[in-house]
Amino acid sequence: MSVQSVRPVRALPTPATLPTPRTVSNLATLGDSTAVGLGDPLPGGGWRGFPVLLRDALGAETRLLNPARTGARMADVRGAQLAAVLPARPEAAVICAGMNDTLRSDFDPDGIRADLTATLAELAAAGTFPVVLRYHDHTRVFRLPGRLRAALRTRVTALNAAIDTAIDGAIAGAGGPAVGVLDLHLLPGGYERAAWSVDRLHPSELGHRLLARAAGELLAGAGFAVPAPVPTACGGGREITAFHRAAWIVVRGTPWLVRRGRDLGPVILHGLLTGGRARAA
């Protein structure tokens, strides 16, 4: 399995010139509930998710720094989470943020671009190699009425454009590919139902494994040691039953839709008035 970056990649060196892979002593994961691990519950409670799976792939001595929190936006990564990891000068970081921005009435692509640009600059100054998630068409996973689907798809397109611009600036400033891009739209198996949890908002255990494996491949391609690539066979997580699915609808799903309905009211209205031709912001 491989994930193509949306950025040009320099020719790989020949085996004779390959440097010794760098060890990742400190791995940082920054972002929202996906980076928290939601969708991959543990039998005893709590979440695992791609950060823990990726850390395990990097080696027993790798320390995970994960200040991610549910509901976080790109501004939270820049404003609070970055400060929590920079003192450790992590060799690698994964940034998973922006989707919560698309679900808010104050969605601001220019602000997202500025926040990610600043985040990448600070990581570069700390000597950290970042992997940035670029987003899929989530309306293919979370089914919505046609006009609302078009409005939200437009927002994801604007989010990706903001991410692309920030990454282009970071690469230009470094004089080469200084950023790994994990394009979820190109992730093999990423649109399969089994890759998504009961809420269709977060990856399932399989989805988290696909994310962790792809991030590991990008790090390996950037010259880091990944001694134990993440297996895609599930194991160690909590089994999800029909009861869990029903409970989620009652306890989590309906309240979530009510909360998002307040924020997305203007988006829904605009989609209805324009026939789905929603603006990016």
Side-chain angles (χ1 to χ4, degrees):
M1 182 189 75
S2 63
V3 177
Q4 297 178 358
S5 167
V6 294
R7 299 291 173 271
V9 179
R10 291 175 293 189
L12 294 175
T14 62
T17 62
L18 284 173
T20 302
R22 296 175 55 196
T23 298
V24 177
S25 298
N26 293 296
L27 168 69
T29 50
L30 309 166
D32 53 28
S33 52
T34 295
V36 171
L38 265 66
D40 184 18
L42 292 170
W47 308 99
R48 177 177 52 182
F50 82 82
V52 174
L53 294 166
L54 179 57
R55 179 204 61 192
D56 292 347
L58 294 174
E61 301 303 316
T62 300
R63 180 169 65 128
L64 176 62
L65 309 167
N66 189 2
R69 67 172 182 81
T70 301
R73 303 169 68 175
M74 194 68 80
D76 298 310
V77 171
R78 176 188 181 182
Q81 296 183 23
L82 200 56
V85 303
L86 284 179
R89 301 183 70 84
E91 290 84 3
V94 181
I95 301 172
C96 172
M99 282 301 293
N100 283 321
D101 290 271
T102 68
L103 300 174
R104 303 290 182 171
S105 58
D106 60 350
F107 177 61
D108 178 14
D110 288 336
I112 292 171
R113 174 194 52 74
D115 288 329
L116 181 55
T117 296
T119 297
L120 292 175
E122 292 202 49
L123 289 172
T128 304
F129 178 81
V131 172
V132 181
L133 270 62
R134 190 179 189 276
Y135 289 92
H136 56 293
D137 177 5
H138 200 69
T139 65
R140 290 175 57 178
V141 178
F142 194 87
R143 300 297 182 182
L144 294 166
R147 288 175 176 173
L148 178 56
R149 181 169 65 247
L152 293 184
R153 184 181 291 134
T154 298
R155 285 199 164 190
V156 174
T157 298
L159 167 64
N160 281 333
I163 291 171
D164 289 345
T165 301
I167 291 172
D168 285 342
I171 291 175
V179 181
V181 182
L182 203 172
D183 193 335
L184 299 183
H185 179 64
L186 301 176
L187 183 68
Y191 283 113
E192 297 296 329
R193 183 171 182 176
W196 294 92
S197 68
V198 60
D199 63 11
R200 295 291 180 267
L201 297 171
H202 301 98
S204 63
E205 178 185 345
L206 174 60
H208 277 284
R209 287 182 176 276
L210 295 175
L211 277 175
R213 187 177 181 88
E217 290 177 350
L218 285 171
L219 291 177
F224 292 96
V226 186
V230 179
T232 56
C234 293
R238 189 178 73 200
E239 181 183 0
I240 303 300
T241 66
F243 171 79
H244 292 126
R245 295 185 177 90
W248 179 86
I249 292 174
V250 174
V251 177
R252 300 287 186 182
T254 300
W256 183 90
L257 288 173
V258 171
R259 290 195 301 271
R260 290 289 72 77
R262 298 191 189 103
D263 271 326
L264 291 176
V267 182
I268 297 171
L269 178 60
H270 189 273
L272 290 173
L273 293 175
T274 63
R277 297 183 300 276
R279 294 174 297 175

